[in-house]
Amino acid sequence: MNLLQTLIGLIAVFSFTLTTALAEPILIRFSHVVAEQTPKGVGANRFKQLVEEKLAGRVKVEVFPNANLYNDDEVFTALLDNDVQLAAPSLSKFSIMTKALQVYDLPFLFDDPSAVEHFQRGEIGQRLLTALDGKGIKGLGYWSNGMRVISANRPLRTPTDLRQLSLRVEPSKVIEAQYRQFGAIPIKLPFTHTRDALRREVIDGQENTWSNIYSQGFQASQTYITETHHSFLGYMVITNKTFWDQLPADVRRELETILGQVTEEVKARATAQARQDRQAIIDEGRVQLIALTDQDRERWRQAMIPVWKSFASQIDPEIIAVARAANARNR
Ligand code: SIN
């Protein structure tokens, strides 16, 4: 190697090192719609903290809670346009993108979050994470919130009590059918508009988890909460597939490890927080809780079976069978 070649080599190494050193950190914008003290809100902030510790200078994370940047109906487009790189919409919001995930909304399908976890860890649950691959969206994992209960301005003891009640729902055909079945009026509203709609009595009630109800103060405008635990509210953490695939391999690996850790933390927190926020609502003393006995719950479940049937052509029966089996294997 002559002197010139050595010089050229040195300049190349030097400029590569300089470029790397001066490179802007990769920016990950994480948009979500809930409050920071909920399981998802805490998870998003924890992800930022760990990334900025472990990938300091290489990756920067900005978290936008409370739909400050995008609502859930906008976030899929924002993600595809690479305006945000991470989101975690509720599984019910995915029905506009794929029918398969509707399984999560079938009422009284899953007994509790641990049955859901069992299902998600299994082959079908993992396969559903790839349901949007062909649309440019990659599922990175599942986060939990908890089981849904129904709050209203009148007592709901049996499904027929739902008659004529207007309830805010997520944009899910299954959830709409669940309420239409009993003559209720489901109203699709963005999450962040719900508190105001309840306060102004534009709607009579809503369904959600304890942490979402408490963090938004929905109970302030309601008189009853029925502990139906009729469906699971969880999330798929998603990213723009091209963005993710083009990350440097070591960065991508580290981000996946961090997400794995945060996922476990979110699951543990969701269970504890549901208990804590339920108790906080009881302690406020404003709403009356209506508990369902096993027999009552079975009556609600039986009444909802026609809803399952009406979606039989859209959700693979194998998926439903495996989901049901998760309850038994979980016991
Ligand atoms: C969420 O937990 O992300 C919001 C769910 C909802 O829209 O009710």
Side-chain angles (χ1 to χ4, degrees):
M1 196 184 288
N2 63 29
L3 187 62
L4 186 64
Q5 282 171 323
T6 312
L7 216 56
I8 291 172
L10 280 175
I11 290 169
V13 170
F14 176 73
S15 61
F16 175 78
T17 314
L18 195 67
T19 316
T20 312
L22 294 180
E24 287 289 313
I26 297 162
L27 178 62
I28 296 183
R29 299 172 130 211
F30 189 157
S31 169
H32 69 81
V33 300
V34 290
E36 287 186 284
Q37 70 268 34
T38 60
K40 179 164 63 179
V42 171
N45 290 346
R46 176 78 171 138
F47 174 77
K48 171 183 167 67
Q49 181 204 357
L50 288 175
V51 169
E52 293 187 352
E53 251 169 54
K54 299 194 174 178
L55 291 165
R58 297 191 71 193
V59 181
K60 185 171 153 39
V61 181
E62 288 175 358
V63 179
F64 300 88
N66 293 311
N68 284 340
L69 199 55
Y70 295 110
N71 241 316
D72 274 338
D73 55 347
E74 303 157 336
V75 84
F76 291 105
T77 310
L79 198 80
L80 286 169
D81 290 345
N82 206 26
D83 290 333
V84 292
Q85 291 69 37
L86 277 184
S90 141
L91 291 161
S92 308
K93 310 256 169 67
F94 284 82
S95 55
I96 48 164
M97 307 290 284
T98 171
K99 302 269 182 252
L101 289 167
Q102 294 184 123
V103 66
Y104 286 104
D105 288 338
L106 290 178
F108 297 94
L109 175 64
F110 291 108
D111 286 349
D112 52 35
S114 49
V116 178
E117 187 173 348
H118 189 90
F119 172 76
Q120 290 179 335
R121 284 191 194 280
E123 194 248 318
I124 290 191
Q126 290 299 301
R127 197 186 334 134
L128 289 177
L129 277 180
T130 65
L132 299 175
D133 272 14
K135 298 197 157 112
I137 293 180
K138 183 175 172 63
L140 295 168
Y142 295 111
W143 285 3
S144 332
N145 188 323
M147 303 305 283
R148 291 185 176 99
V149 295
I150 308 175
S151 71
N153 55 15
R154 67 164 121 109
L156 305 174
R157 294 199 167 82
T158 68
T160 49
D161 294 332
L162 288 165
R163 200 165 169 70
Q164 295 295 323
L165 206 70
S166 61
L167 293 140
R168 179 268 168 177
V169 294
E170 294 190 51
S172 149
K173 295 265 181 269
V174 177
I175 300 178
E176 280 186 71
Q178 163 194 304
Y179 287 114
R180 289 232 162 83
Q181 165 87 356
F182 297 100
I185 307 142
I187 299 189
K188 288 177 280 179
L189 273 184
F191 178 66
T192 43
H193 295 189
T194 309
R195 179 176 34 199
D196 197 41
L198 286 170
R199 202 181 282 153
R200 290 189 293 114
E201 298 182 13
V202 175
I203 49 174
D204 302 315
Q206 61 82 46
E207 55 158 48
N208 226 304
T209 59
W210 292 108
S211 72
N212 277 350
I213 293 173
Y214 185 61
S215 60
Q216 297 295 317
F218 293 162
Q219 75 281 3
S221 318
Q222 301 276 261
T223 33
Y224 297 91
I225 296 182
T226 303
E227 300 191 82
T228 46
H229 299 148
H230 57 281
S231 62
F232 173 75
L233 197 165
Y235 310 105
M236 192 188 284
V237 183
I238 51 173
T239 187
N240 177 308
K241 194 169 178 327
T242 310
F243 164 79
W244 202 256
D245 290 347
Q246 286 177 356
L247 286 171
D250 61 327
V251 169
R252 190 170 52 240
R253 263 196 309 276
E254 187 62 51
L255 290 174
E256 284 168 359
T257 306
I258 292 169
L259 262 175
Q261 176 181 337
V262 177
T263 296
E264 293 313 311
E265 292 180 11
V266 169
K267 276 182 193 153
R269 185 179 182 98
T271 310
Q273 190 149 4
R275 240 194 323 266
Q276 187 183 308
D277 290 348
R278 174 181 179 275
Q279 191 56 48
I281 289 174
I282 294 173
D283 293 346
E284 283 180 0
R286 312 172 72 108
V287 288
Q288 190 181 323
L289 262 53
I290 299 175
L292 299 183
T293 63
D294 286 350
Q295 275 174 343
D296 294 336
R297 202 165 183 279
E298 186 51 28
R299 270 195 286 274
W300 277 76
R301 204 180 77 81
Q302 288 298 333
M304 297 287 180
I305 296 285
V307 178
W308 293 23
K309 297 212 168 116
S310 62
F311 285 87
S313 62
Q314 296 181 31
I315 311 170
D316 180 350
E318 192 203 349
I319 298 183
I320 299 179
V322 171
R324 289 187 72 179
N327 292 323
R329 303 228 336 245
N330 179 45
R331 275 185 208 122

